[in-house]
Amino acid sequence: MAEERNVIIIGSGPAGYTAALYLARARLSALMFIGEQWGGQLMLTTEVENYPGFSQGIMGPDLMTEMRKQAERFGTEVVEANVTSVDFSNKPFKIFVGDGEQRKEHQAKTVIISTGARARMLNVGEEKMLGRGVSTCAVCDAPFFKDKVTYTVGGGDAAMEEVLALVKHAKEVTLICRRDEFKASKIMQKRVLEDNKDKVKVLWNTEVKGVKGEGKLEAIVVENKKTGEKQTLSTDGLFLAIGHIPETEIFKEQVELDKKGYLVTHLNSLKSEVAEKVWLEDYPTMTSVDGVFGAGDVVDFRYRQAVTAAGFGCMAALDVERYLTGTSQSW
Ligand SMILES: Cc1cc2nc3c(=O)[nH]c(=O)nc-3n(C[C@H](O)[C@H](O)[C@H](O)COP(=O)(O)OP(=O)(O)OC[C@H]3O[C@@H](n4cnc5c(N)ncnc54)[C@H](O)[C@@H]3O)c2cc1C
């Protein structure tokens, strides 16, 4: 029989480690499945300049190593394995690791899901240049491209927001759109194309087919879909804004997800009947399953920052603490 834990955390980005830290300091140390690729998205980047507390910036992997050490220092038990399935139909909740004969069951009174999201990639070689000229987050990386020539791929509102973040720093931004119109709202298109027309250009009906560069991005190869013409364009930066995929595959049949696969929590269903509950009696980070909580990019399709993910992790931990003990007084 598996030991019943107070809380199991699935996922090890800023959200998971922050939740683990708060719970451990509240004497509710979690068992944490950090995944085979622990540390989350910041393990894929170089310098992080916008995480508070590091005036000179910090390398993404160093920041995540510190977060792991801090969570472990207070007693978090960390397992470097992926959770392969869950059963939230009854309590205690069941969390499984491994498959077939190797499958092992774990049980918990509460679960925090902090499995994050991954940016959609073009898969034309650019994925190997993340943090070396290729970015999926202009808010994070635009200041590194001061007076540089950049390209942004996408055509929705998210792409327009990326361009608006980038245009404050870059010398020029060319949007690459594979269709002959944008999906973005008219107001966002106006902000990008009319209000910034001296800096922003568009390549319509165009796809990125490859990248070039030794160690860092130097050029992209694009193809016009109508004419078939290919060109190699020198650039310092390629920003991808073609969507994110929340890591919720294993939770599909177990908790409510929105149309794009993000976890629905009481916080982001504020317009539903759940919001009628008084906030203080409610658990903003709880999902549709009583006792299962969500934190970070797996819930947050809007801000997607390390600091907001950490903030969500803190909220989830305080909610779990109050759920289990009736009070939360970690600080
Ligand atoms: C290249 C890059 C650069 C970035 N730069 C910045 C920046 O400079 N500043 C900033 O604020 N933000 C930056 N971001 C965004 C930031 O990294 C994310 O917002 C943040 O990491 C989200 O944290 P999270 O804890 O929600 O999830 P993630 O960081 O996505 O971590 C989730 C973790 O859960 C694990 N996991 C998933 N499924 C399972 C499972 N079944 N079992 C066990 N583990 C699982 C994953 O392997 C992963 O390790 C960047 C993102 C990228 C991709």
Side-chain angles (χ1 to χ4, degrees), residues 9-17 33-51 64 79 81-84 114-119 130-131 134-137 139-141 144 244 247 250-251 295-300 303-310:
I9 298 174
I10 310 174
S12 60
Y17 282 131
F33 292 102
I34 63 173
E36 282 157 14
Q37 293 179 329
W38 69 271
Q41 297 169 58
L42 288 185
M43 298 301 269
L44 303 173
T45 195
T46 49
E47 193 156 12
V48 178
E49 285 192 332
N50 58 3
Y51 197 85
M64 295 320 299
V79 180
N82 282 341
V83 169
T84 45
S114 51
T115 46
R118 60 182 192 279
L130 268 175
V134 176
S135 172
T136 56
C137 176
V139 172
C140 313
D141 295 334
F144 297 122
H244 283 75
E247 299 282 4
I250 59 171
F251 308 111
D297 284 15
V298 71
V299 179
D300 171 25
Y303 299 104
R304 294 193 296 254
Q305 298 297 298
V307 69
T308 48

Side-chain angles (χ1 to χ4, degrees), residues 24 29 38 40 45 59 95 98 108 135 137 144 159 162 166 171 175 185 201 271 292 302 305 328:
S29 290
W38 69 271
T45 195
M59 299 301 272
I95 289 92
S135 172
C137 176
F144 297 122
E162 293 283 291
L166 201 46
K171 182 161 85 183
L175 257 163
S185 57
K201 291 188 282 182
K271 284 190 188 137
V292 176
R302 182 73 183 83
Q305 298 297 298
S328 57

Side-chain angles (χ1 to χ4, degrees), residues 127-201:
E127 59 288 1
K128 296 185 194 86
M129 291 190 186
L130 268 175
R132 292 177 188 80
V134 176
S135 172
T136 56
C137 176
V139 172
C140 313
D141 295 334
F144 297 122
F145 291 83
K146 191 169 173 350
D147 298 328
K148 304 277 186 192
V149 173
T150 62
Y151 288 82
T152 298
V153 183
D157 279 339
M160 301 302 137
E161 287 200 10
E162 293 283 291
V163 172
L164 290 176
L166 201 46
V167 89
K168 292 185 193 134
H169 303 274
K171 182 161 85 183
E172 60 178 68
V173 185
T174 304
L175 257 163
I176 300 179
C177 182
R178 63 180 173 163
R179 305 192 309 166
D180 54 11
E181 59 179 358
F182 291 129
K183 276 199 296 186
S185 57
K186 292 283 175 256
I187 177 85
M188 289 301 286
Q189 291 193 39
K190 178 185 169 300
R191 275 186 211 154
V192 167
L193 298 178
E194 290 177 29
D195 302 352
N196 288 286
K197 56 176 177 279
D198 50 330
K199 270 193 176 183
V200 179
K201 291 188 282 182

Side-chain angles (χ1 to χ4, degrees), residues 82-87 94-99 103 250-251:
N82 282 341
V83 169
T84 45
S85 62
V86 295
D87 179 357
K94 297 185 183 62
I95 289 92
F96 300 96
V97 173
D99 292 309
R103 190 168 98 142
I250 59 171
F251 308 111

Side-chain angles (χ1 to χ4, degrees), residues 191-244:
R191 275 186 211 154
V192 167
L193 298 178
E194 290 177 29
D195 302 352
N196 288 286
K197 56 176 177 279
D198 50 330
K199 270 193 176 183
V200 179
K201 291 188 282 182
V202 184
L203 284 176
W204 300 108
N205 301 304
T206 301
E207 283 181 347
V208 178
K209 291 293 183 189
V211 292
K212 291 187 173 175
E214 292 294 324
K216 71 176 188 51
L217 182 74
E218 285 163 16
I220 56 174
V221 180
V222 298
E223 182 182 79
N224 184 301
K225 282 171 63 188
K226 286 209 161 145
T227 62
E229 185 197 346
K230 278 193 177 174
Q231 301 180 65
T232 299
L233 306 166
S234 297
T235 184
D236 302 295
L238 176 66
F239 284 76
L240 304 183
I242 50 176
H244 283 75

